[in-house]
Amino acid sequence: MTKDKESIIRSFCCVYIVTLILGAMIQFSNESEFVVDMSKMKLTLVPKDLPPKTKVLDISQNYISKLYISDISYLLGLKVLKLSHNRLQCLDFSIFKFNQDLEYLDLSHNQLQKMSCHLIASLKHLDLSFNDFDVLPICKEFGNLTQLSFLGLSATKLRQLDLLPIAHLHLSHILLDLENYNAKESGTESLQILNTETLHLVFHPNQLFSFQVNISVNSLGCLQLTNVKLNNDNCQVLIKFLSELIRGPTLLNFTLKHVETTWKCLVRVFQFLWPKPIEYLNIYNLTIIESIDEEDFTYSKTALKALKIEHVINRVFIYSQTVLYTFFSEMNIMMLTLSDTPFIHMLCPQTSSTFQFLNFTQNVFTDSVFQDCSKLVRLETLIFVLSPNFVQSEWCHYELYFAHHNLFHEGSNNLILILLEPIPQNCIPSKYHKLKALMTQRTYLEWPKEKSKHGLFWANIRAAFNMKLTLIAENNDAET
């Protein structure tokens, strides 16, 4: 195994595990910081007499409509302030002039229309998204936020040079809330975003995708679109929009969340992306509508290494299952995840497959999945994430999973078991005797409830992958 290949598998298998089990987690590393959580308490004002040593203050999800300098001026060590999901309509940033250590400020999901600016040089995370701004709320003072990494914004209209004051900053992440964006009746608008590694655009959840703004970004590495509603008529609108963003070779990660689409359009989008430089494609909360018919697809050489699709709703009840399953089984990629879907089967690839990692957790597959399939000779890692409810479900066909394919025999070194909760032996149905045997004969990883042990869990995950990758590399060296 080459070093590049080993590095890719090690890095992205760990990413799959993280998102598989718990999704994205935000943790503040210093647990000794003084944290005050007063969220969801129906507050109308910021509480008085907070502990002066407070460093993390969460007053989100309340009914606060005004913020005064006296509310927080005495919190000289404040680093994190969460004010999201309140009722603020205007804000003067000079309120924070005494909070010289403030790094994280979340003002998202308010009713902000106006704001007065003041430099808060220590800011690393500023979220103004999901507010009622007419244009993007960019102050000239923002240009001096040299430590800024994340910036969340919202607007009902866009102008090409709106982001010029921060053009010289090298941001890691820009979030643009465009749920209330009003497109011009004639002409195409443009927006220039010079520097960010990740761009996340959020559209209206109940409107067909009609966004036709030309967005240019330098060296974009990750793109995420949320709330994408498509049919056969507006499918080309999305493809045209993406063609403007995916011009260079740097966009390697593309994520779609909350997607409603026809099968025909979905295949067209895949075909558009197939020859692009994108290496990791993720789709979360996918709903398929109308019909599923055979569509032409060219499995030409692709840069795509991993496709992950999680949580699928299929509103098409009568269709050819072969059409659906063949589309995925013939993909010439390294890693495939189809998790939490209504799929009941998967076809064995027609030719020797390039799959090295498969994840089919939380599905309703029948007992003939990959039975006697000899085309998966390169498969190196398979992960099972187990919970008591899943093990006891009527759709849990582990006995035949493990009995009918050589990947699941007891001596396999490429199977990793992860338990979200303890699973007593008496909770496993007697017909799943192979699963019982595996759990008594091999080591599995269990997610700890104690927060203090989470670090050890992730260390064990990394160690498990490192050990398996070392074994694979040694085997490959022996064969050569």
Side-chain angles (χ1 to χ4, degrees), residues 417-456:
L417 295 178
I418 298 175
L419 274 60
L420 294 184
E421 303 174 40
I423 303 179
Q425 285 281 314
N426 58 9
C427 287
I428 304 174
S430 58
K431 60 182 177 180
Y432 301 144
H433 57 84
K434 287 286 184 179
L435 177 59
K436 281 191 172 185
L438 276 174
M439 291 185 64
T440 57
Q441 295 173 10
R442 61 188 298 134
T443 302
Y444 52 81
L445 299 172
E446 186 173 316
W447 175 251
K449 293 183 179 181
E450 299 90 342
K451 186 177 180 180
S452 60
K453 297 181 180 179
H454 289 181
L456 179 61

Side-chain angles (χ1 to χ4, degrees), residues 58-119:
D58 186 353
I59 46 177
S60 62
Q61 302 186 63
N62 283 297
Y63 305 115
I64 299 171
S65 59
K66 290 187 178 181
L67 193 63
Y68 302 96
I69 190 169
S70 59
D71 290 334
I72 57 173
S73 59
Y74 63 98
L75 304 177
L76 300 181
L78 188 65
K79 287 187 176 182
V80 176
L81 177 58
K82 296 183 179 182
L83 264 164
S84 64
H85 296 275
N86 275 284
R87 297 179 177 179
L88 296 173
Q89 296 183 0
C90 59
L91 183 68
D92 187 342
F93 269 71
S94 64
I95 288 173
F96 307 111
K97 64 183 180 181
F98 296 108
N99 308 109
Q100 296 298 311
D101 294 334
L102 189 61
E103 298 179 355
Y104 186 107
L105 178 57
D106 186 356
L107 296 162
S108 65
H109 297 276
N110 275 276
Q111 302 166 16
L112 289 171
Q113 300 176 359
K114 299 178 181 180
M115 66 180 196
S116 301
C117 292
H118 179 86
L119 178 62

